[in-house]
Structures are given as C-alpha cells and as structure tokens.
Amino acid sequence: MTLQLLWRFWPQLMVLWLIGRILDSVLLELAVQIGLVNALAGLSTLALVVLMKLVIIVAFFQTIRPGLPALNGASQVVAARPEEEVKSSSFSSALALTLVPFFAYYAAWGFLGDTIRDYSKLSLDLMMFGEKIAPLEVRGGAWLVISVAIAWLVRLLAKRMHKRFKSAVWPIVIVICEANWAFIGLFVISNWQDDVCA
C-alpha cells in the first residue's frame, strides 16, 4: 500500500517537501534576524520553524487521505452526522490535536537541539565583523514567563473571536500561540536539563 500511495501521490508529496525546505530556510533566517534585535522574540519566531514542519507532515497525510479507504470511509460517516455533534475536522484542528505529541517527539529524538543549533550557527554566520552575540541567552526567566503569558492571552482572545465571527484566521492564531509556549517550555526544560547534567 505504501508503494501504491507513493506512486499515486508522489508529485503532490514532492511539491509539499520542496515547500517545506524553502519555508524552513526562510523562517530560520527570519527568526535569526528578529533574534539579533531581541533574543526572546527570535526564540518565539523559531517556534514557527518547528510548527511549519508539523504543517508539512499534516499536509502529507491530508494529501494521501483519498488513497486510504478506511480513513476516508470513517470521515464520511462522521460527515453524515448533524453538524453540532461533530467537531471541526479542518486542517487547523488537525494541527491542534497533533501539536503537543509532535513537540514531545521532536524534543525526545533530538530534533529540537538540531533546530536550535541551526539557529545559533546561522546567527554566528551572519555576524560579518565578529560581533559578540549570544542568540540563545534570554536574560531573566521572567521574560520567558511573560512570553508564555502573552501567548496565552492572545490565544484566549483568538478563541473568543473565533466563537463570535467563525473566521478561518483565528484557529491559525490559536495554533501559533500553542506552538509558541510549547517551544519555549521545551527550550527551558532542555536548558535546565543541561544545567543539572553539567
């Protein structure tokens, strides 16, 4: 079945993979440029790099979904139910459901460290005159707490606005806020782990 899915969907999957590679480079450079101005804002933007990888993975599954008859049949049964009984099966809700497991997997397999290393390396490469920078040094733990609190408040506002206006923009804002605090939390935990082990 895997080979059949690859044969049927390889052009779409290849396009998604190329889009992912391009966005990875663009978002990483954007995070570095923002990080040169403010280290905490750069780290928050780095969460978008990780979130984009999840978006591509979910897009892969959404692309091959027509080739999975059991999954397609289950979604048609769900679609036959009254609308109030069914939670939205939109792309953003799929992202929200997979966000925490993905970040846990991402950190557990060391991909978080790879992303942070790429961020640091690009930051140092962009310093043409040898300026001293510390791209991962966020001064004061209070700023990390404030960053998470701001993301939580923006998420709360976005949830209220989505209930009121049902716009497709608000679920995306919610997912970005959740990705922000998941990334910052994992970054802090990994730093504490390094300090304890040292």
Side-chain angles (χ1 to χ4, degrees):
M1 180 177 250
T2 303
L3 292 175
Q4 288 176 346
L5 290 172
L6 282 173
W7 178 255
R8 182 174 170 189
F9 296 106
W10 75 266
Q12 299 97 312
L13 296 175
M14 184 61 70
V15 168
L16 286 171
W17 181 80
L18 287 172
I19 289 170
R21 295 292 294 177
I22 292 166
L23 285 176
D24 185 58
S25 298
V26 169
L27 288 174
L28 188 62
E29 186 158 348
L30 177 67
V32 167
Q33 294 295 340
I34 292 172
L36 294 176
V37 176
N38 182 296
L40 181 58
L43 280 176
S44 293
T45 309
L46 193 58
L48 293 177
V49 174
V50 181
L51 179 61
M52 180 274 309
K53 293 178 185 192
L54 175 60
V55 167
I56 296 298
I57 290 170
V58 172
F60 281 161
F61 282 106
Q62 292 284 0
T63 300
I64 64 170
R65 187 172 167 179
L68 300 168
L71 185 61
N72 232 9
S75 66
Q76 288 173 358
V77 169
V78 170
R81 292 187 194 167
E83 191 175 332
E84 59 270 10
E85 291 180 17
V86 182
K87 287 187 178 178
S88 172
S89 60
S90 67
F91 192 78
S92 58
S93 64
L95 284 177
L97 287 172
T98 56
L99 190 66
V100 172
F102 177 78
F103 269 88
Y105 165 84
Y106 199 80
W109 283 91
F111 298 125
L112 180 66
D114 292 344
T115 301
I116 291 172
R117 271 190 293 282
D118 290 343
Y119 174 76
S120 299
K121 185 177 179 301
L122 186 57
S123 297
L124 295 172
D125 288 346
L126 291 177
M127 293 295 96
M128 296 171 60
F129 302 109
E131 299 95 332
K132 186 179 178 184
I133 59 161
L136 300 176
E137 190 176 314
V138 179
R139 302 200 182 275
W143 286 110
L144 293 171
V145 174
I146 289 169
S147 168
V148 171
I150 289 170
W152 184 82
L153 288 172
V154 170
R155 177 184 175 271
L156 187 65
L157 175 66
K159 284 186 107 170
R160 288 184 181 169
M161 296 299 280
H162 180 60
K163 278 185 182 176
R164 188 179 225 178
F165 300 110
K166 299 294 181 192
S167 171
V169 172
W170 299 115
I172 295 168
V173 173
I174 292 167
V175 169
I176 289 172
C177 290
E178 289 173 350
N180 183 306
W181 75 55
F183 181 81
I184 296 291
L186 284 173
F187 176 74
V188 169
I189 289 169
S190 68
N191 277 355
W192 286 346
Q193 183 182 3
D194 292 344
D195 291 343
V196 167
C197 292

